[in-house]
Structure formats: C-alpha cells, structure tokens
Amino acid sequence: MAYLVTGAAGFIGFHTSQKLLERGEPVIGVDVVNDYYDPALKEARLALLKKYPAFTFHRADIAEREDMEKVASLHPEITRIIHLAAQAGVRYSLINPYAYTHSNIDGQLVMLELARNLKQCDHFVYASSSSVYGSNEKLPFSIEDRVDHPVSLYAATKKAGELMAHCYSHLYQIPSTGLRFFTVYGPWGRPDMAAFLFVKAILEGKPIKVFNHGDMRRDFTFVDDIVEGILAVASGQPSGMAVPAKVYNIGNHRSEPLPRFISVIEESLGLKANIIYEPMQAGDVKETFADIDPLVKDYGFYPKTSIDEGIPKFVTWYREFYKV
C-alpha cells in the first residue's frame, strides 16, 4: 500500500505525510510549491520529509493532466489518495479568482480522473472547507445543512469539488470522502492564517487587524487532531451505500470568541497586542462551529487539543523556526 498525498509541502499535507512516514507507510508527495505564501517555508517542510527513505516527491501541478499522469505511471503502487492540494484563502479569492478555478476545480477533476484510472486506488480522500456553509446561521454547522449559498468564490469551488467527487463515486464506484476543515492552526502553519499573522505582528511590535470589531467566533482546530481524523478516514472507506461518497465536518467542536483566541496568544508570548478594529471583510463569516457527531460515530474521531494547549505549541515552533 502506498499513499499519494497532494499538497505535501503545504501545512496539513506536510503533517499528514510526516505521520504516515512515521507509521512506516510509503508516501508519494506532490506539490507545485507556488508563491501564494513564502516558498521557503514550504521548502523547509519538504526538507524534513525528504529525510524519510519512504518519501518520494514530485514537483508538479495537480491541475496539469500530463504532470499527474506521469506521476501515476511512475507509481502504480498507489492505493489511496489524500488530496489536500488547493488554492486556499477567502480574501485572496477576491484578488486572484482564476487561481481558485485552476487548482480547486480543474485540479479536482484531474485528481478524480487519476483515481478512476489507477488500478488499485480504493479510497479518494479530499479537503473541503467549512467555508461551504456560507452565511448559514444555524449552529453548529451540520453536514445535513444546505450549502448552496456560498459567500466567497473559494467556498463555491470547494462545494463544486464535493459535487464532482459525488458524481465520480456514482459513475465509477470510486469511494470518496470529503473533509470540511475548520480553521486549522499549529506548528508549520500558514502565514495567511490568524495565529501566524497575530504572533508575527505582536513580536514585531506591529498592530493586528481584527475584523467585525472583534465580534467573531471560530472553531479553531489543532493540526495534530486534523491529521488524526484524516488518517482514520483514509484507513477506511464509505460502505453500505449505493453511491460510496461521504462528507464530514472535522473541527474542534468548540466555537471560540476571537478576543479569547488573541488573549491566549498574548499569554503565550508574554506581550500585549495592539489591536485595530475593522468592519467585516467581504466573503468572511461571523462564526463557525462544527457538528462532528457523524465523524465520531463512523471513525471514533474526537479532538483532544484546546487552544490553551495548541497556541503555546505554535508559539514555541514560531520562535524556534524564526529565531525570535
């Protein structure tokens, strides 16, 4: 058995690949290593993965058919796909919308075709997002809720990816599972996410921008918990259904007020934040909160890490990595 992990140089892809390698599983990693954020951080993650003999890396674009067909031809041993490569970020979708259709729609199609044509692939696990819930006001967000009113192009592309996966499961009986991630943070995290932005600004003595005047809540989920859920799902597959396609929420099942999140960062740094309050940003939502009961029931997943535990771990990594 071998796993193909796309987005292997990315935040969640790196942690997922590393955990698989620690378990002794062969991993074929794919990443285009673009400049959406500092490529040096991605290269540093890759450098750690390349220390494992069972890791093979291909610098390729998941939306380019020829690139991915070559990867598949070189690795007929692939039995499971964990597709985490995507163009992320709500606000950037207002600036560069074509990046989202390229990676999240064209890329999803290429990867589904890859799964269809691989002889041994028995599960296609892919990243979706809590953003699909849009302006849904019912809490917690449930996989039974309608998600046909996205408030950002990013959300629309992730919902499209779910529909495409369902279609391929229906047509070709490819077992597929989508995971709607809720605000993932932790060591090696993305520089465009709140934890990274806030820690960096506070250490540099710069103000932090807090939107909707601080009246926001997020289901902040520590990366180790996310990876545990991904691997639990990837080890199984949907069963007992006419169409072997499922979608789950994967979050911390706790909606934290943004001011409390900031206060935990301040405590971990031993510094106070200079806060500039701003109105709500286009495409953003006030609150997220994951109903994870289906994932608990089907896979025994339950998150273990509160922000009081997770934020200090992120701060420790940040200080060590950036030597500050």
Side-chain angles (χ1 to χ4, degrees), residues 234-248:
S235 297
Q237 58 179 250
S239 60
M241 300 179 295
V243 179
K246 295 207 76 170
V247 175
Y248 295 97

Side-chain angles (χ1 to χ4, degrees), residues 2-3 28 35 41 50 69 106-107 113 144 191 201 204 208-209 244 270 276 284 286 301 304-305 316 321:
Y3 286 83
I28 295 94
D35 61 357
L41 179 57
K50 288 176 179 178
E69 286 169 359
D106 292 345
E113 277 290 295
E144 303 301 325
E204 293 175 355
I208 64 173
K209 291 183 179 181
I276 297 176
D284 215 341
K286 180 179 176 181
F301 165 82
K304 303 179 180 68
T305 313
T316 297
F321 186 76

